[in-house]
PDB file of all heavy atoms in Angstrom:
ATOM      1  N   GLU F 436     281.884  80.976 -61.192  1.00 93.00           N
ATOM      2  CA  GLU F 436     280.925  81.571 -62.105  1.00 93.00           C
ATOM      3  C   GLU F 436     279.762  82.239 -61.369  1.00 93.00           C
ATOM      4  O   GLU F 436     279.193  83.236 -61.747  1.00 93.00           O
ATOM      5  CB  GLU F 436     280.420  80.516 -63.083  1.00 93.00           C
ATOM      6  CG  GLU F 436     281.456  79.917 -63.985  1.00 93.00           C
ATOM      7  CD  GLU F 436     280.915  78.808 -64.858  1.00 93.00           C
ATOM      8  OE1 GLU F 436     280.966  77.627 -64.398  1.00 93.00           O
ATOM      9  OE2 GLU F 436     280.427  79.109 -65.948  1.00 93.00           O
ATOM     10  N   ARG F 437     279.307  81.561 -60.309  1.00 93.00           N
ATOM     11  CA  ARG F 437     278.290  82.139 -59.446  1.00 93.00           C
ATOM     12  C   ARG F 437     278.711  82.128 -57.989  1.00 93.00           C
ATOM     13  O   ARG F 437     279.365  81.152 -57.541  1.00 93.00           O
ATOM     14  CB  ARG F 437     276.979  81.311 -59.566  1.00 93.00           C
ATOM     15  CG  ARG F 437     276.392  81.225 -60.973  1.00 93.00           C
ATOM     16  CD  ARG F 437     275.612  82.464 -61.326  1.00 93.00           C
ATOM     17  NE  ARG F 437     274.452  82.645 -60.530  1.00 93.00           N
ATOM     18  CZ  ARG F 437     273.219  82.106 -60.794  1.00 93.00           C
ATOM     19  NH1 ARG F 437     273.125  81.223 -61.858  1.00 93.00           N
ATOM     20  NH2 ARG F 437     272.200  82.377 -60.041  1.00 93.00           N
ATOM     21  N   VAL F 438     278.370  83.178 -57.262  1.00 95.00           N
ATOM     22  CA  VAL F 438     278.676  83.251 -55.815  1.00 95.00           C
ATOM     23  C   VAL F 438     277.400  83.473 -55.075  1.00 95.00           C
ATOM     24  O   VAL F 438     276.669  84.405 -55.378  1.00 95.00           O
ATOM     25  CB  VAL F 438     279.691  84.378 -55.513  1.00 95.00           C
ATOM     26  CG1 VAL F 438     279.924  84.496 -54.005  1.00 95.00           C
ATOM     27  CG2 VAL F 438     280.996  84.155 -56.213  1.00 95.00           C
ATOM     28  N   PHE F 439     277.116  82.634 -54.112  1.00 94.00           N
ATOM     29  CA  PHE F 439     275.931  82.781 -53.223  1.00 94.00           C
ATOM     30  C   PHE F 439     276.432  83.071 -51.833  1.00 94.00           C
ATOM     31  O   PHE F 439     277.336  82.436 -51.305  1.00 94.00           O
ATOM     32  CB  PHE F 439     275.124  81.478 -53.268  1.00 94.00           C
ATOM     33  CG  PHE F 439     274.516  81.172 -54.562  1.00 94.00           C
ATOM     34  CD1 PHE F 439     275.137  80.272 -55.433  1.00 94.00           C
ATOM     35  CD2 PHE F 439     273.320  81.751 -54.965  1.00 94.00           C
ATOM     36  CE1 PHE F 439     274.610  79.964 -56.672  1.00 94.00           C
ATOM     37  CE2 PHE F 439     272.752  81.506 -56.192  1.00 94.00           C
ATOM     38  CZ  PHE F 439     273.385  80.588 -57.089  1.00 94.00           C
ATOM     39  N   VAL F 440     275.792  84.081 -51.225  1.00 96.00           N
ATOM     40  CA  VAL F 440     276.100  84.416 -49.884  1.00 96.00           C
ATOM     41  C   VAL F 440     274.940  84.121 -48.957  1.00 96.00           C
ATOM     42  O   VAL F 440     273.780  84.476 -49.317  1.00 96.00           O
ATOM     43  CB  VAL F 440     276.478  85.931 -49.767  1.00 96.00           C
ATOM     44  CG1 VAL F 440     276.870  86.320 -48.323  1.00 96.00           C
ATOM     45  CG2 VAL F 440     277.570  86.335 -50.755  1.00 96.00           C
ATOM     46  N   CYS F 441     275.150  83.458 -47.850  1.00 92.00           N
ATOM     47  CA  CYS F 441     274.086  83.000 -46.998  1.00 92.00           C
ATOM     48  C   CYS F 441     274.407  83.296 -45.555  1.00 92.00           C
ATOM     49  O   CYS F 441     275.528  83.160 -45.099  1.00 92.00           O
ATOM     50  CB  CYS F 441     273.859  81.523 -47.187  1.00 92.00           C
ATOM     51  SG  CYS F 441     272.436  80.843 -46.318  1.00 92.00           S
ATOM     52  N   GLY F 442     273.412  83.760 -44.778  1.00 90.00           N
ATOM     53  CA  GLY F 442     273.482  84.008 -43.356  1.00 90.00           C
ATOM     54  C   GLY F 442     272.087  83.947 -42.737  1.00 90.00           C
ATOM     55  O   GLY F 442     271.125  84.208 -43.412  1.00 90.00           O
ATOM     56  N   PHE F 443     272.037  83.566 -41.457  1.00 82.00           N
ATOM     57  CA  PHE F 443     270.766  83.344 -40.820  1.00 82.00           C
ATOM     58  C   PHE F 443     270.429  84.351 -39.720  1.00 82.00           C
ATOM     59  O   PHE F 443     271.347  84.860 -39.018  1.00 82.00           O
ATOM     60  CB  PHE F 443     270.738  81.904 -40.199  1.00 82.00           C
ATOM     61  CG  PHE F 443     271.091  80.843 -41.208  1.00 82.00           C
ATOM     62  CD1 PHE F 443     272.337  80.321 -41.203  1.00 82.00           C
ATOM     63  CD2 PHE F 443     270.132  80.435 -42.122  1.00 82.00           C
ATOM     64  CE1 PHE F 443     272.655  79.333 -42.173  1.00 82.00           C
ATOM     65  CE2 PHE F 443     270.472  79.450 -43.029  1.00 82.00           C
ATOM     66  CZ  PHE F 443     271.724  78.876 -43.051  1.00 82.00           C
ATOM     67  N   GLN F 444     269.176  84.647 -39.556  1.00 79.00           N
ATOM     68  CA  GLN F 444     268.588  85.410 -38.435  1.00 79.00           C
ATOM     69  C   GLN F 444     269.434  86.715 -38.193  1.00 79.00           C
ATOM     70  O   GLN F 444     269.514  87.528 -39.135  1.00 79.00           O
ATOM     71  CB  GLN F 444     268.497  84.565 -37.183  1.00 79.00           C
ATOM     72  CG  GLN F 444     267.504  83.377 -37.396  1.00 79.00           C
ATOM     73  CD  GLN F 444     267.162  82.639 -36.169  1.00 79.00           C
ATOM     74  OE1 GLN F 444     267.105  83.200 -35.076  1.00 79.00           O
ATOM     75  NE2 GLN F 444     266.942  81.309 -36.280  1.00 79.00           N
ATOM     76  N   THR F 445     269.969  86.918 -37.024  1.00 80.00           N
ATOM     77  CA  THR F 445     270.586  88.223 -36.731  1.00 80.00           C
ATOM     78  C   THR F 445     271.826  88.496 -37.603  1.00 80.00           C
ATOM     79  O   THR F 445     272.244  89.661 -37.771  1.00 80.00           O
ATOM     80  CB  THR F 445     271.013  88.296 -35.254  1.00 80.00           C
ATOM     81  OG1 THR F 445     271.970  87.253 -34.995  1.00 80.00           O
ATOM     82  CG2 THR F 445     269.843  88.170 -34.341  1.00 80.00           C
ATOM     83  N   ILE F 446     272.446  87.458 -38.153  1.00 87.00           N
ATOM     84  CA  ILE F 446     273.615  87.679 -39.019  1.00 87.00           C
ATOM     85  C   ILE F 446     273.215  87.830 -40.480  1.00 87.00           C
ATOM     86  O   ILE F 446     274.060  88.155 -41.309  1.00 87.00           O
ATOM     87  CB  ILE F 446     274.575  86.440 -38.906  1.00 87.00           C
ATOM     88  CG1 ILE F 446     276.001  86.902 -39.017  1.00 87.00           C
ATOM     89  CG2 ILE F 446     274.209  85.342 -39.840  1.00 87.00           C
ATOM     90  CD1 ILE F 446     276.557  87.673 -37.884  1.00 87.00           C
ATOM     91  N   ARG F 447     271.913  87.682 -40.776  1.00 90.00           N
ATOM     92  CA  ARG F 447     271.447  87.814 -42.166  1.00 90.00           C
ATOM     93  C   ARG F 447     271.745  89.187 -42.738  1.00 90.00           C
ATOM     94  O   ARG F 447     272.068  89.320 -43.897  1.00 90.00           O
ATOM     95  CB  ARG F 447     269.918  87.581 -42.185  1.00 90.00           C
ATOM     96  CG  ARG F 447     269.318  87.813 -43.523  1.00 90.00           C
ATOM     97  CD  ARG F 447     267.805  87.879 -43.484  1.00 90.00           C
ATOM     98  NE  ARG F 447     267.264  88.370 -44.732  1.00 90.00           N
ATOM     99  CZ  ARG F 447     266.501  87.719 -45.606  1.00 90.00           C
ATOM    100  NH1 ARG F 447     266.190  86.456 -45.341  1.00 90.00           N
ATOM    101  NH2 ARG F 447     266.111  88.273 -46.701  1.00 90.00           N
TER     102      ARG F 447
END
Side-chain angles (χ1 to χ4, degrees):
E436 295 177 271
R437 300 282 293 276
V438 176
F439 295 96
V440 182
C441 186
F443 305 101
Q444 296 189 36
T445 60
I446 212 71
R447 173 193 169 116

